[in-house]
Every structure is written in structure tokens, then in C-alpha cells.
Amino acid sequence: MLGDMATATTKRAHVGIVGAGQLARMTLQAAIPLALRVGVLAERPDDGAALVASEVSVGSPNDPAAVVAFARQCDVVTFDHELVPPACLNALVAAGVCLRPSAATMRLAQNKRAQREVFAGLDLPVPPFRILSGAVDVEEVVGILGLPVVLKAASGGYDGQGVWIADRADEARRIVDELTARGIDVVAEQWVPIERELAILVARRPCGDAIVYPLVETIQVDGICREVVLPAPVPAPVASEAEAIARRIAEASSVVGILAVELFVAGGRLLVNEIATRPHNSGHYSIEGCVTSQFEQHLRAILDWPLGATAPTAPAVATVNVLGGPTAANPFATLPVALAIEGAHVHLYGKGPRPGRKLGHVTVCAADVETARRRARAAAELLSGAPIPVEVKP
């Protein structure tokens, strides 16, 4: 069916998105100029995308029956997050639904253990690691990797959750015991001093065509991305290496749609952190900052349509996330003032404010990075009602 849509002009494609958060909301906006039918499976009618979608099915994205019933209405189904339960993926496959990305690709994105093993098998640069499951001698692993040691839950982590840094072997043992008792494998990694965190997007069609976005720097605070800056302040060989890594992972994972590859620089060396198989926080800048946004590109890719250009629209672009401040101030109260800042493109996600909640983002395109960051931060601080914290490296 999808192959026919790549050439026919009379067929109006019907895309289904499992999940109705801000990523689905921004994908809906990208679908409007293409006249696509897009439906969302929302857990609640007031989810961010459900508030603006013309086709909303209300049901739990964790319920296989609800997911399959929704998916049967669509030509192709995609996801706005990785945390789709295995039972739902299995049910979709059994129902013969066209999933893009595929269930196999989604399983890779869900599991940090699988990612580490696949990346190592591809001879990609990753931190030294060991898999801790069952009766593994944690003290022996700590002796190999050293202290402090980074411990990651193989599945279920998100926005800094599911990651621990243990300074002592007994602390590592306690964390591993708690997770393995719940049936969760643990990835133990050598702690490395992170100099910069980076991200790069690649879009890939079912036919194998792929295109890469520019490398960006991401500024993380407490495990949450607060800022994204283009261009990334790294030498050209590092940017070229990041592009090569992204293309290899896209091909090896057979991803269809947007793939985000998170990396960091440690000791002057580029290392792969993890991946996401969906539009990503590090790509929000592309709405105003690139010829084709990551959201439009994701739609093009999953429909096997020609991919759009990814060139930047300005010499510098900065995106700053708007998180709820300690007073849970409503961003609508300061929206007019934020919009008065030169070049500020404000995106609010329709969420009620609460401390730490991701409420939106601001993007500014400018002639230089300093100007773009200053203006985007000023607007985001007005909307959140709190200063943007400064990155603190370990």
C-alpha cells in the first residue's frame, strides 16, 4: 500500500501516531501543509496532541487491544516515544500493521544493553562497558571499569532517569541488586569526563535513502536537555565522524523515519551514548532552523517519499527548553513579553505548568551563536518564570 502512495497523487495517506505528547503535536503541525490525515492514540483527551488533532482515539498506548484497533484504521503507524510495551509491538506485528520504524528497530531503541552490544559489534566508539545480569560479580566488574562507575537500567530510562553514578563498590552492588531483583539488566560503563554532549539526526526511507542533519551541541542539566546549539563547536573531522556514525547506525538498525544519535566528546574522542528512533528534543531547532523540519522529514520517510533538504536557514540557531519553574508559573502570563524578543519562535505544548515539567521551547535564528542563545534564553526564562540553570559537569 505504501509503495503505491509513493507514486500516486490521488491517495491521501493516513498516518497513525501511537502517543499524543508534544512530539505528536509538532508532527501534526508538519502534516498540515502536506494535507495528510493524521490520527493520534491519546491516553487522555487533554494530551498535547489530542488538543489539536482532528482525529483522536482515546485509549491506553499500553493496551495491545486498543493499539491494534487504532492501528487498523491507518496506512502506516509510527510512535511519539520508545516506551511501547513489548506486548503492544507483538500484537501490532501479528495484526500485520505497517510499522515505521519496525518493531525490531523499536526494541533496539528501548534497550541500552542491545544498543551497546550492537554498537560494539559495529566497532563504533563506545565507553568500556559490561552487562550485569543474574549472578554477576559486581565487585569484579567495578575492578575492571574503575570508580566511579556509571550504571544504567537496560530499559525504561528517560530524561536522566534510570542512570546512576556509584562512587563505591557496595553502592554499585546495592543498585544492581535492586534492579536485577526486578528483572532489569544493568549496563555498567566506565565513567569518562564529558567535555561536550552532541547529537545528530538522520532520516531514512524504507528504500534505504538517507539524509543527515547538521551536528548540534546539547547542554544537559540534571540529565535533561536544556539547550541545543547549531553549529556544534567542534572541528570539522569530528562532525564528519559523527555523520558517518549516524549513517552506519541507521543502516544497521534498518530504521525508517528519524533517528537521533546522542554522542559525547571525552578526552578529545567522540563516543556514542544512545539512540532514539523518533523525532527528538535535539531536533526541535529544525522547525525554524533547517529547510525541512525533523517532523516533516519523519512523515516523508515513513511514507517513503523523497527526503527534504537539511541545510540550516541561518548561520546560528539556538533552542532553549521551557521547563516549569519552582512556582509553576503559567507561561501564558508572560507569552506576549517573550514574543517581543527579537527572533523568538515560541512553541508551547498545551501542558499545565508544574515544576520541572517540559512546557515548550523557544528557537532563535541569528547571525552568531551568542546572540541566538542570549535571546532564546531570555524568552525561555520569561515563560518558565525562573532562570535557566547553568550546566554543571561532574
Side-chain angles (χ1 to χ4, degrees):
M1 182 182 297
L2 268 291
D4 294 338
M5 283 194 290
T7 55
T9 57
T10 57
K11 171 67 170 161
R12 189 180 181 203
H14 190 185
V15 176
I17 305 176
V18 175
Q22 62 259 26
L23 297 179
R25 183 184 177 105
M26 287 181 274
T27 303
L28 285 165
Q29 292 172 301
I32 292 171
L34 303 177
L36 293 173
R37 286 184 63 195
V38 181
V40 297
L41 177 63
E43 191 161 11
R44 298 177 301 275
D46 61 348
D47 284 348
L51 294 173
V52 297
S54 60
E55 298 183 27
V56 181
S57 297
V58 178
S60 173
N62 299 324
D63 177 6
V67 172
V68 169
F70 166 74
R72 288 189 188 279
Q73 308 170 48
C74 308
D75 296 316
V76 60
V77 172
T78 192
F79 310 89
D80 81 340
H81 57 85
E82 286 91 21
L83 304 180
V84 180
C88 289
L89 289 175
N90 294 340
L92 289 167
V93 171
V97 174
C98 179
L99 299 181
R100 292 181 174 167
S102 69
T105 303
M106 289 288 290
R107 292 185 187 105
L108 176 63
Q110 292 174 343
N111 194 287
K112 293 182 175 67
R113 170 179 181 164
Q115 290 179 40
R116 278 289 171 261
E117 292 173 339
V118 168
F119 299 160
L122 293 171
D123 200 27
L124 296 176
V126 296
F129 71 96
R130 293 292 188 277
I131 305 301
L132 302 180
S133 60
V136 172
D137 189 333
V138 175
E139 288 73 15
E140 181 181 346
V141 170
V142 168
I144 295 170
L145 298 177
L147 289 170
V149 64
V150 180
L151 303 172
K152 299 180 178 181
S155 59
Y158 187 75
D159 269 352
Q161 303 298 313
V163 179
W164 300 264
I165 299 178
D167 295 312
R168 304 186 315 274
D170 62 332
E171 183 183 3
R173 165 58 72 183
R174 177 185 59 78
I175 294 168
V176 172
D177 285 349
E178 289 178 0
L179 290 171
T180 53
R182 292 158 50 193
I184 300 173
D185 290 345
V186 180
V187 180
E189 295 181 356
Q190 186 178 83
W191 181 86
V192 294
I194 298 174
E195 298 159 16
R196 292 192 186 279
E197 297 193 58
L198 309 170
I200 191 166
L201 303 177
V202 56
R204 183 176 179 275
R205 298 170 60 183
C207 66
D209 288 350
I211 194 167
V212 180
Y213 281 79
L215 183 68
V216 298
E217 180 177 23
T218 63
I219 291 86
Q220 313 283 329
V221 179
D222 296 329
I224 299 176
C225 180
R226 297 306 304 262
E227 299 181 57
V228 176
V229 177
L230 172 74
V234 298
V238 173
S240 296
E241 182 185 1
E243 177 175 343
I245 288 170
R247 288 186 180 275
R248 289 189 65 195
I249 294 175
E251 188 66 28
S253 65
S254 298
V255 71
V256 173
I258 287 286
L259 168 77
V261 181
E262 298 179 10
L263 312 108
F264 45 80
V265 179
R269 184 184 178 210
L270 194 62
L271 298 173
V272 181
N273 184 17
E274 59 186 59
I275 64 171
T277 52
R278 52 166 171 79
H280 193 254
N281 199 161
S282 67
H284 291 352
Y285 78 93
S286 66
I287 298 174
E288 291 83 22
C290 290
V291 174
T292 309
S293 78
Q294 66 165 342
F295 300 99
E296 179 182 334
Q297 199 81 276
H298 186 71
L299 290 168
R300 289 182 181 222
I302 65 174
L303 293 169
D304 206 8
W305 290 355
L307 300 176
T310 58
T313 58
V317 186
T319 291
V320 178
N321 283 323
V322 177
L323 269 63
T327 62
N330 192 323
F332 292 107
T334 51
L335 179 58
V337 184
L339 289 172
I341 293 176
E342 183 178 354
H345 297 275
V346 176
H347 298 258
L348 296 177
Y349 303 153
K351 296 179 177 180
R354 68 167 182 256
R357 192 180 198 190
K358 200 175 291 182
L359 304 177
H361 71 267
V362 179
T363 297
V364 172
C365 301
D368 60 84
V369 166
E370 182 181 352
T371 300
R373 288 188 73 181
R374 183 180 71 252
R375 292 174 180 170
R377 287 173 65 95
E381 287 179 348
L382 285 167
L383 293 165
S384 66
I388 304 297
V390 177
E391 176 191 25
V392 178
K393 292 185 180 298

